[in-house]
Amino acid sequence: MTEYCTQCGTLLTRDEVAVTKKLVNRGATTFQCISCLARHFEVAEDDITERIAYFKASGCTLFEAPEASE
């Protein structure tokens, strides 16, 4: 399913959908990109990116698994 940011219309990645669910509402049906989430929470975009990395490393199942290196 293709999702777009409800604020700016940017095509979203799976991680952006997942972080919206994690930070806003697990049952969310509309999503925001990293830039718009950062504005919403009044934090730097790097803070959202770091949260995504943390949730992935913690094994949160909302996030896609890191790419395996070959």
Side-chain angles (χ1 to χ4, degrees), residues 30-51:
T30 60
F31 310 100
Q32 295 181 10
C33 67
I34 290 173
S35 298
C36 291
L37 278 173
R39 274 194 300 279
H40 174 79
F41 288 111
E42 299 179 353
V43 299
E45 289 181 31
D46 286 344
D47 294 333
I48 303 294
T49 304
E50 288 173 10
R51 281 281 118 190

Side-chain angles (χ1 to χ4, degrees), residues 9-67:
T10 300
L11 180 63
L12 299 176
T13 65
R14 286 192 262 177
D15 286 344
E16 288 171 317
V17 171
V19 79
T20 299
K21 287 183 175 187
K22 189 75 172 174
L23 298 177
V24 177
N25 181 341
R26 185 137 181 147
T29 57
T30 60
F31 310 100
Q32 295 181 10
C33 67
I34 290 173
S35 298
C36 291
L37 278 173
R39 274 194 300 279
H40 174 79
F41 288 111
E42 299 179 353
V43 299
E45 289 181 31
D46 286 344
D47 294 333
I48 303 294
T49 304
E50 288 173 10
R51 281 281 118 190
I52 290 170
Y54 171 79
F55 293 138
K56 282 182 171 184
S58 297
C60 180
T61 58
L62 288 174
F63 296 85
E64 59 189 41
E67 297 287 325

